[in-house]
Amino acid sequence: MTLTEIRPGAVPGGPVAGRGPWTLAWARIRTDRVALTSAIVVIALLVLAAAAPLVAQWTGHGPDDQFRDIGITGQGLPVPPNGTFWFGTDRLGRDLFVRVLYGARVSLVVGVLSTLLAAALGVAVGLLAGFYGGVVDTLLSRLMDVVLSFPYLIFAIAVVSIAGPSLTATIGVIAFYSWAAIARIVRGQTLSIKEREYVEAARSLGASDTRIMFVDILPNLLAPVIVLVTLLVPAAIVFESTLSYLGLGIVPPTPSWGNLLSEAQGFYRVAWWYLTFPAGGLLLTTLAFNLLGDGIRDAIDPRTERLFSRRRGVLRGRGRARRTTPATTKG
């Protein structure tokens, strides 16, 4: 008698529907409450960022509109949160809620676009290096090492001094600095996959190198690349905020979480909301993307979750053993 997996609702004795790796991954991630909550938060942030112009039109407060009569106190300080300004105002009497939403648009656009560019370049370089090997692998691997060892702030300062601070320059700097990490992972995966039997079979049947790379190897790289992308988006958002905070990224009056934090650093004693809401948006976004990336990683490759669970169990067992072992005394 053979054991077969019967899905709920299947007729006993009937055909058993097979489940592929993506179906299994989706089934695992649906049971991960942290990942689902993070996905809901990410979707909500995307919706709010996309709806920023509608919110500005509904409130009647544009991102650059200054309300010096009702948005600044008699002492020249920002107004705290109230019924008119939900997040309070900034130093010029502008609606901080609207500016935070517009800052989310900039940060998310920079994070997503720079990560997609880095992923495309990293996959291409890593695939070529791992597949061809030899001189190609040596040259491309040394290029990865150079990019990974280069101080990104110095590179950003050099680019901005030549091209000037802008959205395009920020995306280019982040993408250039991020692609090497993806390329190194893809190269290692390609070195392993190209030795599989189905790749050797395709080569023996006369398949070209291009077909083997894009038909037989590339689809098997999608899982680790998706995980890397979800983890690189928050890193790119923090990167952009750092550059904007230092004056090397998005230039005011265009709002960005980084330049909002830079403007608020002199008001944290008298206007807590000025610093709290941009920093809270940045923290919530990066945390949600990181937790979502961890959930996707565990769903695609559950061995990592079992490995960490086993390691935590071993550590707990050692702790209990230390507590129960009687202390020895010198005779």
Side-chain angles (χ1 to χ4, degrees), residues 45 237-238 257 276-290:
L45 289 171
I237 292 175
V238 173
W257 285 339
T276 300
F277 289 115
L282 180 61
L283 175 62
L284 181 63
T285 303
T286 54
L287 181 62
F289 270 106
N290 277 306

Side-chain angles (χ1 to χ4, degrees), residues 149-163:
S149 62
F150 203 90
Y152 72 93
L153 281 179
I154 296 178
F155 179 75
I157 292 172
V159 170
V160 171
S161 64
I162 297 174

Side-chain angles (χ1 to χ4, degrees), residues 114 117-119 121-122 125-126 138-156 159 171-184 232 239:
S114 60
L117 290 176
L121 182 59
V125 173
T138 301
L139 293 176
L140 293 179
S141 296
R142 297 295 78 77
L143 178 61
M144 298 177 206
D145 295 336
V146 170
V147 174
L148 289 174
S149 62
F150 203 90
Y152 72 93
L153 281 179
I154 296 178
F155 179 75
V159 170
I171 294 175
V173 168
I174 298 175
F176 178 81
Y177 187 74
S178 303
W179 70 266
I182 300 178
R184 176 167 288 183
L232 279 178
F239 199 163

